[in-house]
Amino acid sequence: MSTTLHDVAQHAGVSIKTVSNVVNGLGRVSAATRERVLASVAQLDYRPNLSARSLRSGRTGVIGLAVPELSLAYFAQLADAVIEEAERRDLVVLIEQTRGGDRARELELLRGPRRQLTDGLIFSPFGMTEEDTELLDIGSPLVLLGERLPDANVDRVTMRNVEAGAAATASLLKLGRERIAVIGAHLDARLGSAVLRYEGYVQALRAHGIELRDELVVEVDLWHRSNGAKAMRELLARGEPFDALFAMNDELALGALRVLQEDGIDVPSDVALIGFDNVDDGRFSRPSLSTVDPGRSEIAAMAVELLLERIGGATSDDVAPRELQSPFRIIERESTRDE
């Protein structure tokens, strides 16, 4: 027998009315309860009969958001921004993780049964490759976040990574620092945030007539705090002097900051430090972390707006796939205030 609303309500420990509200995008339901209900819906493979709502609009009122991992503050805060934007439009957001960008997981989420629960998907790919581009044709509205899968014929929202990387580096150069190290590079990659931010770093050095020193560049696979600490230990072990550091995200910067302090290196007097992403933790580190604000709320607003246009019926024949870029700004805090 097919799963009923009663089955879902019993499994989730809520009322049938609450399940109905979540499935139909009605009423006020807390985020925690909504996630619990949607998890039960997926686990029980409930296929709602959206008769009343669907007959009127053909929509569920639910959109999906798939990101690599919510343990990274940037993606957690991005999800919060998407939820806030969606709620302004009376939409529910089903959030899914791809477990650090696992390719198989990404493909499963693109084509799995949960897609039947949503009107469209905002997707931040990490593990899929260019050979997978055609698999993005999932038969429902889709908006990509970031620069990966550049040949995909879908809407996307990106950051101004090159310009922002250059601006972050230039902010260190303005302090009179000339031996600027960088951690988080992916030198062998063809495209992605790391490649573009590194390109901005190189451009800024060249514009100021500063020699690029390979010994001051440390590659990092995953941009986690622990890897920032590891990269900083590697940089210090090389014995190459540096007076500033550009970390390609705030997680790396915070990990590096801890190691610098453990080694008795003062920030910013000895080493000025800037990160990228403007996560909340950076405001409360000591010293507080200078960073690049990539326009997270704008990214969320743009992505939801693009998705809603496609949900509303705009096809690629009507409107060609678009790429929008969010604004950015440099936020100067104590880690670069050389006073």
Side-chain angles (χ1 to χ4, degrees):
M1 295 179 63
S2 61
T3 303
T4 66
L5 276 178
H6 180 271
D7 297 328
V8 176
Q10 188 173 40
H11 187 271
V14 298
S15 68
I16 294 176
K17 174 71 171 176
T18 297
V19 175
S20 178
N21 284 342
V22 170
V23 169
N24 292 290
L26 301 173
R28 290 186 175 274
V29 181
S30 71
T33 299
R34 182 185 304 118
E35 288 300 313
R36 190 164 75 251
V37 170
L38 290 174
S40 294
V41 166
Q43 189 171 340
L44 297 178
D45 195 24
Y46 171 64
R47 310 222 174 169
N49 178 6
L50 302 172
S51 54
R53 181 172 183 140
S54 294
L55 285 174
R56 290 196 305 269
S57 66
R59 304 176 193 171
T60 67
V62 180
I63 62 173
L65 171 66
V67 296
E69 50 188 318
L70 292 171
S71 61
L72 290 177
Y74 171 77
F75 289 115
Q77 291 176 220
L78 174 65
D80 181 71
V82 170
I83 290 172
E84 183 176 349
E85 185 65 27
E87 286 180 343
R88 288 182 52 248
R89 300 163 182 269
D90 295 322
L91 296 172
V92 172
V93 182
L94 174 60
I95 301 174
E96 302 172 284
Q97 298 184 86
T98 60
R99 300 170 186 157
D102 177 80
R103 176 180 176 274
R105 176 65 172 165
E106 289 183 344
L107 295 176
E108 175 189 343
L109 292 180
L110 280 174
R111 297 181 172 274
R114 288 195 181 192
R115 291 285 67 77
Q116 300 178 40
L117 303 174
T118 63
D119 297 322
L121 175 66
I122 298 171
F123 176 41
S124 178
F126 189 78
M128 293 173 63
T129 67
E130 294 176 32
E131 288 72 25
D132 297 319
T133 298
E134 63 181 23
L135 300 178
L136 294 174
D137 184 10
I138 60 175
S140 61
L142 176 67
V143 173
L144 295 185
L145 300 179
E147 297 82 10
R148 292 179 183 272
L149 308 178
D151 296 327
N153 193 36
V154 297
D155 295 322
R156 74 168 69 233
V157 181
T158 66
M159 301 177 188
R160 299 181 183 276
N161 279 300
V162 175
E163 298 96 323
T169 307
S171 73
L172 299 172
L173 291 166
K174 290 177 182 177
L175 299 175
R177 312 300 173 101
E178 295 189 351
R179 295 187 65 90
I180 301 175
V182 60
I183 60 174
H186 296 169
L187 298 179
D188 293 332
R190 193 181 82 82
L191 194 62
S193 298
V195 174
L196 298 173
R197 292 175 195 178
Y198 179 73
E199 181 181 339
Y201 163 80
V202 173
Q203 287 183 5
L205 293 182
R206 288 175 175 166
H208 288 76
I210 304 297
E211 177 186 359
L212 175 65
R213 297 178 173 88
D214 292 339
E215 64 273 17
L216 295 182
V217 179
V218 182
E219 293 192 63
V220 175
D221 184 13
L222 297 176
W223 287 354
H224 294 169
R225 207 168 296 196
S226 59
N227 289 335
K230 181 180 178 181
M232 179 49 59
R233 292 190 185 99
E234 178 181 338
L235 184 61
L236 291 172
R238 293 178 184 179
E240 293 291 337
F242 60 98
D243 55 14
L245 174 66
F246 171 32
M248 291 197 177
N249 82 340
D250 287 349
E251 302 281 350
L252 293 173
L254 292 168
L257 176 61
R258 175 59 183 258
V259 172
L260 287 168
Q261 292 173 331
E262 289 177 348
D263 214 52
I265 297 172
D266 185 78
V267 176
S269 296
D270 299 325
V271 174
L273 170 63
I274 190 168
F276 199 114
D277 281 346
N278 191 29
V279 303
D280 286 342
D281 284 356
R283 295 166 49 212
F284 301 101
S285 63
R286 186 168 184 179
S288 56
L289 182 64
S290 295
T291 188
V292 178
D293 181 346
R296 190 165 41 245
S297 60
E298 290 87 352
I299 290 171
M302 290 175 185
V304 171
E305 179 63 30
L306 288 175
L307 191 66
L308 283 178
E309 287 183 16
R310 297 302 183 186
I311 291 171
T315 68
S316 56
D317 292 333
D318 301 321
V319 181
R322 295 148 293 177
E323 178 174 326
L324 304 181
Q325 290 188 316
S326 63
F328 72 89
R329 62 191 178 105
I330 301 294
I331 297 179
E332 295 182 355
R333 297 196 182 109
E334 293 167 346
S335 68
T336 57
R337 289 176 187 162
D338 195 4
E339 298 174 351

